[in-house]
Amino acid sequence: MNLEIMKVGVFKGYSYVITHTDNGFSSWYCGYVEVPKNHIYFEQHYDNIDDIECHGGLTYSGYRFKDYKDKAYYIGFDTNHFDSEPANNLTFVENECLNIIDQLIKLNN
């Protein structure tokens, strides 16, 4: 399985990371947004976060990129769903990350 970091960015002070995975049979993107320590969802499992909307719903929470940025906690989603074909591209995933960031900001105010 091949996993590659495609983009690292910052939007409104929140970091995000986009990866692409190819397992030889299919390929998909994942988007991850860093949750700051002072946020209500810091270290919350994605199953307990039900008011963030994104493609396919949240499918990840944890310390995903320890080599990239130590002690950074992320929530994320993927485009490896039966209805993901139109969403399975870098631009879509980046826009979803920005959307998640906007939601995180709104929820923490």
Side-chain angles (χ1 to χ4, degrees):
M1 186 176 309
N2 182 26
L3 177 111
E4 181 180 359
I5 294 178
M6 301 299 291
K7 184 162 189 173
V8 176
V10 176
F11 178 68
K12 297 183 178 180
Y14 285 66
S15 297
Y16 64 94
V17 179
I18 300 171
T19 64
H20 184 258
T21 302
D22 188 333
N23 67 7
F25 299 104
S26 62
S27 65
W28 62 92
Y29 288 86
C30 296
Y32 303 94
V33 174
E34 185 178 354
V35 179
K37 289 182 182 179
N38 65 343
H39 197 280
I40 59 172
Y41 288 143
F42 181 73
E43 292 189 329
Q44 295 296 311
H45 190 274
Y46 69 87
D47 281 337
N48 297 326
I49 302 173
D50 57 3
D51 49 3
I52 297 287
E53 294 183 16
C54 61
H55 176 77
L58 293 175
T59 56
Y60 180 83
S61 56
Y63 292 91
R64 178 82 168 113
F65 300 98
K66 290 182 182 178
D67 293 339
Y68 166 70
K69 193 172 188 182
D70 228 13
K71 299 182 182 175
Y73 189 79
Y74 290 85
I75 57 174
F77 68 98
D78 65 79
T79 61
N80 191 20
H81 306 277
F82 74 94
D83 62 346
S84 288
E85 189 57 39
N88 197 13
N89 64 73
L90 183 62
T91 300
F92 179 88
V93 173
E94 183 171 24
N95 286 334
E96 282 292 270
C97 286
L98 304 184
N99 181 38
I100 290 171
I101 291 169
D102 281 338
Q103 292 176 72
L104 286 171
I105 291 169
K106 186 175 180 179
L107 288 165
N108 213 40
N109 288 331

